[in-house]
Amino acid sequence: MLITFTTRAFDLLIMLTVSLIGLPLLDGIISRYLGNNLKIYLVQKFGNKSQYWFGGLGVIIHELGHAFFAVIFGHKIGAIKLLNFQNQDGTLGSVSSSYNPSSRYQTIGNFFIGLAPIFSGLFTFWLLVKLLCHPTYTKLPTIPLTNLTMKKFAIIVLQSTFNWLKNIYQAFFKHWKWPTTSANYPSWHD
């Protein structure tokens, strides 16, 4: 009994570590690598100002995320540069804020202010999908956790990916009919 509990607890710890630390870390490493290479490519091919033309809106959304969370956590905002055109230090935008170090709420807020661009980016993406997507978008299936085999999980991932691509397609090409190839995919109910 104790060995089973210990084994299950260890499995849970491994799963949580991989899910909550490993995957975000891997995502960060890949995103940073791709972002740096894209930035170098843009500057080499189109000049230094190309960063503003191709990434300016993203920088603004990123910095507004920092500023919004700084306000939520009671930080005093000193300066906001949504787009920094005189970037001698290489930054495209910045938000400077100060806080009371004896306030636990404001100190914890530093963590969330750092993560804020993730939330502002997701919110912006959600808003764009809400405004641009076809009103009859396909919802992702609800996943019952009983008897979930690897085959059923793979089918759910395949169907979810297909539905996501269909929704994106309909968002930008509403007047075109999506090809009805979903019948070729097996149902996860099988």
Side-chain angles (χ1 to χ4, degrees), residues 3 39 45 49-50 53 70 125 157-158 161 170 185 190:
I3 294 173
K39 185 177 178 179
K45 294 292 183 185
K49 297 294 181 192
S50 64
W53 293 108
F125 184 71
V157 169
L158 182 65
T161 304
Q170 287 177 344
Y185 294 106
D190 294 339

Side-chain angles (χ1 to χ4, degrees), residues 19-39:
S19 300
L20 299 176
I21 297 173
L23 293 177
L25 185 62
L26 180 64
D27 178 52
I29 291 169
I30 291 171
S31 297
R32 184 167 178 93
Y33 174 78
L34 292 175
N36 285 342
N37 285 337
L38 179 62
K39 185 177 178 179

Side-chain angles (χ1 to χ4, degrees), residues 14-67:
I14 294 296
M15 184 186 75
L16 288 174
T17 303
V18 168
S19 300
L20 299 176
I21 297 173
L23 293 177
L25 185 62
L26 180 64
D27 178 52
I29 291 169
I30 291 171
S31 297
R32 184 167 178 93
Y33 174 78
L34 292 175
N36 285 342
N37 285 337
L38 179 62
K39 185 177 178 179
I40 291 168
Y41 177 80
L42 287 173
V43 169
Q44 287 175 346
K45 294 292 183 185
F46 303 109
N48 197 36
K49 297 294 181 192
S50 64
Q51 299 173 77
Y52 299 106
W53 293 108
F54 289 106
L57 183 59
V59 172
I60 292 170
I61 292 167
H62 178 103
E63 299 306 333
L64 285 174
H66 285 306

